[in-house]
Structure formats: structure tokens, C-alpha cells
Amino acid sequence: MKRTLPVFVCLLLCTIVSRAQSKVFREVSSEISSQMKLITQDEALIGYLMFTQLEKVNADSFNYQVSIMDENLNDIGKLHFKDKNLELRSVSFEQDVLCLGYVKSDLADLKNTSMKKIRQAMDEGGNAVFTQLINLKGEIIHTASIRVDLKLKEELAYVKNARPSAVAGRLKHDLVVKNIPGKGFMAFYGDEEKNRLFAFDISGKELWSKNIPDAQAFAMLTTASDVYVLSKRKMEMVEGGYEVRGFAVSDGAAHDKYELKDRNGSQLKVLGFEIDPTTGKPIITGSIIDPVRGNSFYTVTALSKGPYDGVFTVALNGPRRADIKETFSYWSDGSKAPEISASGLLGDNHAYPRFSSTIRDFKGNTYFVGNSYIRKAKVGSIVASILLSPTVIFPIFIAAGGYNKGKAVDAVLLRQDSAGRLRFENAIEGQSSRFYAAKMDLSYYGFKSFYTVSNPATQSNFLIVDDFGKTIIYNVTTRRVVRTVPAREGSVSTAIFPAKQGHIMVVENNRRERYTKLSIEAL
């Protein structure tokens, strides 16, 4: 999943500081509403776009400004136009054409409109998915609107006075636009009535569309020949229920539907859905859910009982079920001990992993990345229960707190090669949590977050670990930490984001001077 730029960037005016891949954004007015979006092509970041809602021109319309920057934050150009209330959701690029996908609303003044009238206006319609095609001359070459049924935002009653021009509703499943190499664009959204997938060329002509069965969540990938929609349905296994539908880009012809289960019928938890850098084909990666213990994963005690049986990589190599290559690697049968026990305990750092993301390298290996947790006996509680056993009541109170404790420790990487062989790759030392009762929810421990950067030129991969109080940048290829950045020094807080291939964006926010500096730096 992608990390988004901080909200404070959306209230800033942009001025160039230098040509050394950096900009400063200074706060000017809370009346100006801005959104910064990444411009992507073929799943890679190629630039940035700032969409700004300016002054109101009449009862239901605004002036807008679109500012386009390249991958080094250099200004490319600006576009001004008028339209109804817009919320930018997705941006993509193909053949010198930008495609912007919005949600459009007739409501333009929430502050002076009662919630009753807002609900009535939502029921009467006037909402749309709106696409806009812009060429490199800054000209709008095509627009299209599709009526949609939006759901009222739950938080609207609390924010409508502070953000009177906010769009009042949201899609059930967000609008996503991606390019089709050499052809045009693919878009997907879901409202309260349907989930729609549709293709259109760079002139805006619709090529075909499909209605997709409803599910809890969706993701989409495009290639030059195919589009794939990953959906998650509600199933007995909370983290399972995934299936993939594929369609030919040329005419929308359907592929064989693929349900994510292993050969034993166990459901799979998806951690990654991306394009394999070695084949250009989609791959799906994740954990194999234990059919008995798989719904118990919220505590360290539950992790110690083995909610996952192994990991998997699935390559979608073609339209037929026979084209799909499955690689399943298990530890639940005890075959990986002592490196990995049958319950998933890592022998190297004696901790239980909970994988949350994956990395696919340039040699066909999949790396599984996550937090890890140690579990130890609470010796004092055990001794106290024994000594106080004649009282009966006190051991009951002690038992309520549990006889084991847990602690979040290092970030860990596990490697699966193309043949399915597993190897513990490394533990990245970071800030550990304090000890909690092992049966307490994992949310109490805090989480490290993970982001990735790849460099095709050097065929190297980097892992960004957003740790407690610092960010760690780890070179997956060389297996070493290359940089550690403190989260705060004085009045300056710093965050690291993935940027263009082989680079990171460093975001420095100076609270005292009231500015934010963005810098693009090579790894």
C-alpha cells in the first residue's frame, strides 16, 4: 500500500527554493484547499500534481488550478479551469496525456446548509465520477461524467463548518485510474449500486466496461494486454476471501476466475499485488492461513499458536487457470525447524513474525516483511500464584492477567526463492516496545510501518522502516542499513516517503518557522 503525503502539505503555497530537487511549502491560508497526488505510469512514480480549489465563482462552482511537477519537483506547468465542487481521487499518465479522476458534487456550501438538506440533496443525485484528459500544452482535451450514488461521509457533521467546500459524499470503493501501456486508461470505482470497470483511449473514447460483483475491498493492476481486479469477500477466515478476475485490454474478454486457496483448500491472506520486475506479469504474495487457528492473530499468545502455516507467491502468467504458477512454502509441518518452528517461531531472534508487506526483487525472490514479537513467562505471577494458592481467590486474580508477557522487537525479513525454499534473511534492529500481557491486543504494542523503493538501473531494492522515533533505510540486496533518520530534532520533524525509482522524498516540517521542505534524494 502507498504512503500519502501529510495533510499539512495541502494548506501550503509552493515556492522554488533551488533546482537541487527540493521545494519549500509555506502556509498561507486555511481558505485555500489543496490536494497533492502522485502521477504514476506503469506502476512507477513519474511526477507530482497539486490540485487547488480557489475562490468560489457562483453558487455551485469554483475556480481551480492544477500545478504539475516532474519527478524532481521541477514545475512543468499550470492549468486553470472552472467547475462544480470537485475532489481529486486519482491521477495517471499515458502517451503525453494526463488523466485526472474526480468525484463531483452539486453541493458547494456545506457550512450554510443543514444536515437535513445535505441528506436530501444526496438522495436527489447530482453526484458523479468525473474524468478529465489534459495534454502537455495544458489543454483539456476531453471530459466525461458518470452519475453515481454516494454515501454521506460519517464525519461530515463535525467538519462541514471547517471545510465548507468539502464533497459531502464518498464512493463505496474509491476511484482508481491507471494507464494501459500504448493504449489509454483503465478506471474502477464502486458506488452504492454497482462496481464498474471501464477502459478508454487517450481521446476519451470508451472501449468497453464491466460490472464487477461486490466485495469488501478491491485492487487493480494493468499491463499492456490485460487488467486484473483483486477482490476480497467476507469469508469464514477473516483475512481470507480473495479472488482475481482478469480481462483482455483489447475487448474486455474475461479470463478464468482464480480463487486464492492453497492445494489443501486453505485460504490465503494477500500482502502484495504488484508487477513482477523480471516478467512484467502480475504476482500476488502473502501468508497461508491455518484453517483452525487462522482467525486468532490479534495477540502474541495467538501468534505463538500458529495462525499461519507458511507463505506463498502466485504468478498470473496468462488468462487460463493452467497458466498460473503457484509457489507455496510451509513451516507448519515442522520441515523448516529449527530455523522456523511449526508454530512460526523464528530461530534467529526467537520471535513470532506478523508479516504485513512483501518485496519482489530482480532475481525472482520474494521477501516477506513484518513486525516480530517475543513471548516470555511472567515468573513473578507464576511464583505468586503458587505461594498464594491456599487463598484461592488471589491466584484467580493473578491468572486474569495471564502468565505470559509479550514485547514488539525487530523488523524481520524472510526470503522465498523461485523454487519455494525459505531462508530467514535478517532482523533489522529498531526500537522495542515495553512488555505487555501476552493476551493483550497487538495494537497496544505499536507497529513499525514498511515502504519500498526499487532501482531497476542497479537492480536493487530498499526497505523503508518507519520505526518509533526514527526511520531506517535498509538495502535488501546488500543486507545492511544504509541510513537512519531521526523523526524529530528540535522544532523540525522529518518523514521519509518513496519517490521516483531509486530515490526517496524527505519531508521536513519546521513548526517554528511554519514551513515544510520536500527534497528528492538518491539512495
Side-chain angles (χ1 to χ4, degrees):
M1 309 296 166
K2 301 280 185 187
R3 188 174 181 180
T4 56
L5 293 179
V7 174
F8 51 73
V9 173
C10 299
L11 300 175
L12 307 170
L13 179 67
C14 166
T15 24
I16 297 179
V17 180
S18 70
R19 306 191 69 85
Q21 300 186 347
S22 66
K23 281 182 181 289
V24 165
F25 296 82
R26 292 192 179 275
E27 186 175 330
V28 290
S29 173
S30 60
E31 298 299 316
I32 295 178
S33 173
S34 295
Q35 297 172 264
M36 179 174 274
K37 294 289 185 181
L38 307 180
I39 303 173
T40 61
Q41 183 180 29
D42 301 340
E43 301 297 322
L45 187 153
I46 62 167
Y48 304 88
L49 184 145
M50 183 77 82
F51 174 69
T52 304
Q53 185 185 78
L54 302 171
E55 69 278 0
K56 203 172 185 180
V57 294
N58 54 44
D60 63 357
S61 297
F62 297 86
N63 281 321
Y64 293 97
Q65 176 178 283
V66 174
S67 302
I68 304 168
M69 295 167 276
D70 66 14
E71 69 273 20
N72 296 319
L73 297 174
N74 296 314
D75 285 321
I76 295 177
K78 289 182 170 64
L79 167 70
H80 293 86
F81 66 95
K82 289 189 300 184
D83 214 303
K84 293 185 178 181
N85 200 3
L86 299 175
E87 183 176 272
L88 181 62
R89 304 308 306 160
S90 189
V91 182
S92 191
F93 183 80
E94 178 61 31
Q95 297 184 50
D96 296 338
V97 174
L98 268 175
C99 180
L100 282 66
Y102 306 86
V103 171
K104 179 189 283 192
S105 173
D106 284 343
L107 286 169
D109 186 8
L110 302 181
K111 186 174 183 178
N112 298 309
T113 307
S114 69
M115 289 301 297
K116 181 179 179 180
K117 290 184 177 180
I118 290 174
R119 291 189 182 94
Q120 182 180 353
M122 291 286 290
D123 292 338
E124 292 173 353
N127 303 307
V129 160
F130 177 64
T131 53
Q132 185 182 61
L133 301 181
I134 303 171
N135 64 21
L136 292 184
K137 296 178 182 179
E139 301 168 336
I140 299 174
I141 59 178
H142 181 80
T143 61
S145 291
I146 304 169
R147 290 285 294 269
V148 293
D149 183 12
L150 299 182
K151 182 179 181 181
L152 195 69
K153 293 176 178 176
E154 297 86 352
E155 70 275 13
L156 190 67
Y158 305 99
V159 303
K160 74 185 191 76
N161 290 334
R163 298 177 56 213
S165 62
V167 172
R170 62 164 52 93
L171 289 163
K172 184 176 181 180
H173 302 293
D174 204 7
L175 173 65
V176 178
V177 178
K178 296 197 175 185
N179 73 297
I180 307 169
K183 294 180 176 65
F185 300 95
M186 188 72 63
F188 174 85
Y189 70 89
D191 67 2
E192 296 302 306
E193 296 181 353
K194 63 185 177 300
N195 303 302
R196 188 166 183 260
L197 177 74
F198 60 102
F200 51 102
D201 64 21
I202 59 172
S203 70
K205 178 184 176 182
E206 186 172 304
L207 304 176
W208 55 265
S209 69
K210 299 283 184 181
N211 287 336
I212 306 298
D214 199 22
Q216 290 180 311
F218 294 93
M220 180 177 73
L221 277 181
T222 58
T223 68
S225 58
D226 304 287
V227 56
Y228 295 87
V229 178
L230 176 70
S231 60
K232 186 191 184 309
R233 299 167 296 151
K234 185 176 182 180
M235 297 289 284
E236 179 185 353
M237 289 293 122
V238 175
E239 295 184 307
Y242 289 93
E243 62 183 17
V244 178
R245 287 176 169 82
F247 303 92
V249 162
S250 57
D251 57 5
H255 297 185
D256 292 345
K257 186 176 71 173
Y258 176 68
E259 189 172 357
L260 272 78
K261 293 183 178 181
D262 73 356
R263 299 180 185 95
N264 302 317
S266 297
Q267 293 183 38
L268 308 179
K269 175 187 177 181
V270 173
L271 300 176
F273 181 46
E274 60 185 305
I275 299 297
D276 188 331
T278 60
T279 66
K281 299 289 186 180
I283 60 164
I284 308 172
T285 53
S287 301
I288 304 167
I289 301 171
D290 184 89
V292 177
R293 298 176 293 276
N295 276 344
S296 182
F297 51 83
Y298 298 105
T299 68
V300 174
T301 295
L303 287 180
S304 71
K305 297 184 184 302
Y308 307 106
D309 290 343
V311 292
F312 73 91
T313 298
V314 170
L316 305 176
N317 293 327
R320 298 182 304 275
R321 179 65 177 80
D323 298 323
I324 296 173
K325 181 185 177 183
E326 302 171 326
T327 306
F328 298 107
S329 304
Y330 298 89
W331 55 69
S332 59
D333 56 5
S335 61
K336 303 299 184 293
E339 191 169 20
I340 311 172
S341 75
S343 60
L345 180 70
L346 299 173
D348 189 272
N349 69 339
H350 305 289
Y352 295 95
R354 179 160 164 74
F355 298 119
S356 56
S357 64
T358 59
I359 302 170
R360 184 72 168 180
D361 72 6
F362 295 88
K363 298 179 181 179
N365 301 307
T366 302
Y367 294 84
F368 298 84
V369 182
N371 292 269
S372 68
Y373 304 85
I374 61 173
R375 180 172 179 259
K376 291 185 176 182
K378 294 167 68 174
V379 178
S381 296
I382 296 172
V383 172
S385 292
I386 295 171
L387 295 177
L388 297 173
S389 58
T391 66
V392 180
I393 188 67
F394 287 109
I396 294 175
F397 281 114
I398 295 171
Y403 293 108
N404 292 285
K405 58 185 179 180
K407 180 169 74 170
V409 286
D410 304 328
V412 292
L413 292 90
L414 183 71
R415 190 184 78 167
Q416 179 196 51
D417 67 16
S418 57
R421 293 183 292 263
L422 291 180
R423 185 182 83 179
F424 178 80
E425 190 68 11
N426 214 340
I428 304 172
E429 186 176 352
Q431 182 66 41
S432 298
S433 72
R434 70 179 183 86
F435 276 106
Y436 294 92
K439 63 181 183 179
M440 290 182 68
D441 192 280
L442 293 178
S443 61
Y444 285 93
Y445 295 75
F447 296 96
K448 297 174 173 65
S449 300
F450 306 100
Y451 313 95
T452 60
V453 175
S454 63
N455 190 337
T458 60
Q459 295 203 340
S460 54
N461 300 87
F462 297 87
L463 176 67
I464 300 172
V465 182
D466 190 354
D467 202 353
F468 308 103
K470 61 183 175 182
T471 299
I472 301 168
I473 302 175
Y474 174 82
N475 188 320
V476 177
T477 309
T478 62
R479 303 176 66 191
R480 64 184 182 89
V481 173
V482 296
R483 186 174 174 184
T484 300
V485 181
R488 178 164 293 176
E489 288 184 321
S491 62
V492 178
S493 59
T494 304
I496 306 296
F497 298 85
K500 63 181 180 177
Q501 292 179 336
H503 291 71
I504 56 172
M505 174 182 283
V506 181
V507 182
E508 298 178 359
N509 175 233
N510 191 314
R511 292 175 299 158
R512 182 180 300 167
E513 302 296 331
R514 297 173 64 84
Y515 72 81
T516 298
K517 179 181 178 182
L518 310 184
S519 303
I520 306 297
E521 300 181 11
L523 287 174

